[in-house]
Amino acid sequence: MSETIKIFHGPQHPGVTGNMSLELDLDGETIVKAVTHVGYLHRGFEKMIERRTVIQAFTIVCRICVPEPDPNEENFARGVEELYGLEVSERAQYIRVMILELARLQAHLLWLAGQGGSIGHEIVPQWAIGERDYILDLFEAITGGRVYHMYIYPGGVKRDLPEDLPERLLALLDTLASRLPEYDRIFFDNAAVKKRLQGVGVVDAAECVRNSYSGPVIRGCGIPRDVRKDAPYLVYDRLEFDIPTQSAGDAYARALVRRAEMHQSIRILRQVVEQLPDGPIQCKLPRHRQFKIPRGETYVQSESARGAFGYFMAGDGTPFLRRLQVRGPSIVHAFTLLERLLVGAQLSDVALIMNSLGICPPEIER
């Protein structure tokens, strides 16, 4: 007769899976039950935002997903613009795409560092975090901040690009493009990595559709869903890029999807630099206390590195939002999916499965 034991996997800091706890029942090294516990990091964003004016709330939304804050800024700004009837200039829209795709690149590099560390492949985190820092240098030059940017602002962006930014960006893209084959050699084509990731955390396409999974999870099952193509926003409909997919549905397939998306982001950013128009970066806004949101409601969504990110927003004619509700991909990936995938998995695979789903705990306990 076997006897199960209960352990708590986390929370520990820093980052991603470290900010949540898994209550695991083990039979030896095999997991027989898993329960997700969140709330160990930032929480309660929706109600905090509803109790602040739009301009005050603008500084909060980036905390909803620390490793990739910019889709939150863009969703919030676009929702306010749709409710208020603000028109964003072409230049500001292109700059927003630049910020979002740089955010996607650094998020995938951060994921790569985490997954490499979870396997014990320590050279990968050293390389990936170093590469990511070059992207954060550009964020600092553009926005003044490295992680939290508070840059995509209702009506446009906070300030224009530095004069030398396009040249610096193209040079960085050349460097990253030349480095990706090295990551193939040491990580994606590595026999030990394949052995650890292939056949682990398998998801089927029907389950993805039934439970509204998104991002690398659904694309790793062969379904090319991506908000940038399915419901284009900003100027994504003017840019050429592909939606990478894999068919195996396991942790390795999701890794390959992210690897291919890095190439597509580089491709998009080159087009942004080439097509970037002149013009204003911000439309005229009301004064802070006169910025009253008209009655009405809207739902906006964007494609983050983790999947579809949506904001429901409703105004009632006051400077405060009557209702804000955030729907990030982690709410289904961390509960519906993760708890199922862990049953029958080995304890040593917990971190690999969690990382492969791209979970960001603050967007769950929001």
Side-chain angles (χ1 to χ4, degrees):
M1 180 178 178
S2 62
E3 182 178 347
T4 62
I5 62 170
K6 185 184 296 290
I7 68 168
F8 284 85
H9 186 281
Q12 69 276 340
H13 210 45
V16 193
T17 57
N19 306 135
M20 60 191 290
S21 174
L22 286 170
E23 182 182 347
L24 304 175
D25 289 352
L26 299 175
D27 181 358
E29 292 286 314
T30 303
I31 299 167
V32 296
K33 183 180 178 182
V35 178
T36 304
H37 297 286
V38 297
Y40 292 96
L41 190 61
H42 312 312
R43 60 192 305 184
F45 295 102
E46 293 174 351
K47 292 305 172 187
M48 282 196 294
I49 290 171
E50 289 171 11
R51 285 160 174 76
R52 286 162 173 78
T53 66
V54 166
I55 304 305
Q56 291 170 333
F58 156 73
T59 63
I60 297 175
V61 292
C62 54
R63 272 81 177 174
I64 294 177
C65 186
V66 181
E68 193 188 13
D70 303 281
N72 287 282
E73 291 187 17
E74 200 280 329
N75 271 340
F76 182 79
R78 186 151 43 97
V80 170
E81 289 153 6
E82 289 193 9
L83 287 172
Y84 202 86
L86 299 173
E87 187 172 344
V88 180
S89 71
E90 280 197 358
R91 181 173 179 83
Q93 291 187 58
Y94 272 97
I95 293 174
R96 285 183 177 185
V97 170
M98 179 187 294
I99 296 295
L100 292 175
E101 293 306 314
L102 283 171
R104 191 183 318 278
L105 274 173
Q106 66 82 26
H108 284 334
L109 285 168
L110 187 60
W111 164 85
L112 182 58
Q115 197 70 314
S118 298
I119 292 174
H121 194 341
E122 295 302 330
I123 191 65
V124 175
Q126 293 180 37
W127 282 16
I129 292 297
E131 236 85 61
R132 177 176 177 262
D133 266 356
Y134 293 126
I135 298 176
L136 301 191
D137 288 344
L138 292 187
F139 277 136
E140 188 174 15
I142 298 169
T143 72
R146 295 179 71 81
V147 178
Y148 294 136
H149 306 133
M150 290 170 280
Y151 177 73
I152 299 178
Y153 193 74
V157 294
K158 286 289 287 183
R159 63 184 185 186
D160 211 340
L161 300 174
E163 288 187 6
D164 64 343
L165 194 283
E167 292 75 20
R168 290 179 61 184
L169 174 55
L170 289 175
L172 175 59
L173 297 178
D174 289 341
T175 300
L176 291 176
S178 67
R179 291 285 289 161
L180 287 178
E182 292 296 305
Y183 285 103
D184 291 337
R185 184 174 61 84
I186 69 164
F187 185 82
F188 294 99
D189 295 336
N190 186 306
V193 171
K194 290 181 180 180
K195 190 172 181 61
R196 290 299 308 276
L197 297 181
Q198 287 179 336
V200 172
V202 178
V203 188
D204 68 80
E207 180 185 2
C208 284
V209 174
R210 183 172 63 250
N211 294 327
S212 298
Y213 303 152
S214 60
V217 174
I218 195 167
R219 293 193 285 274
C221 295
I223 302 175
R225 284 193 181 175
D226 189 305
V227 180
R228 295 173 296 173
K229 288 285 190 182
D230 300 336
Y233 53 100
L234 299 177
V235 291
Y236 277 110
D237 55 349
R238 306 182 194 179
L239 304 170
E240 295 182 1
F241 61 99
D242 301 319
I243 306 301
T245 60
Q246 292 286 322
S247 59
D250 57 13
Y252 187 65
R254 295 189 282 276
L256 292 179
V257 167
R258 289 183 173 93
R259 163 64 178 85
E261 286 183 3
M262 293 171 72
H263 172 72
Q264 294 301 321
S265 288
I266 292 172
R267 182 182 174 191
I268 289 171
L269 285 164
R270 292 191 194 279
Q271 295 175 68
V272 168
V273 173
E274 182 181 342
Q275 299 178 22
L276 185 64
D278 294 327
I281 58 160
Q282 179 67 256
C283 66
K284 185 174 177 58
L285 296 176
R287 296 181 64 181
H288 173 51
R289 286 291 174 181
Q290 296 173 342
F291 201 147
K292 297 181 179 180
I293 303 300
R295 291 185 180 275
E297 58 185 46
T298 187
Y299 182 78
V300 296
Q301 61 177 338
S302 63
E303 186 70 31
S304 74
R306 292 163 172 76
F309 225 113
Y311 272 46
F312 170 80
M313 303 170 71
D316 60 1
T318 71
F320 302 88
L321 288 168
R322 178 177 61 81
R323 185 72 178 96
L324 173 81
Q325 188 165 14
V326 179
R327 199 278 188 189
S330 296
I331 191 112
V332 286
H333 292 170
F335 286 103
T336 310
L337 181 54
L338 178 62
E339 291 181 358
R340 182 192 70 75
L341 289 181
L342 290 180
V343 175
Q346 297 299 296
L347 180 61
S348 59
D349 291 335
V350 171
L352 302 182
I353 295 173
M354 292 173 74
N355 276 319
S356 78
L357 302 180
I359 295 168
C360 192
E363 74 188 46
I364 306 169
E365 187 70 10
R366 73 254 183 270

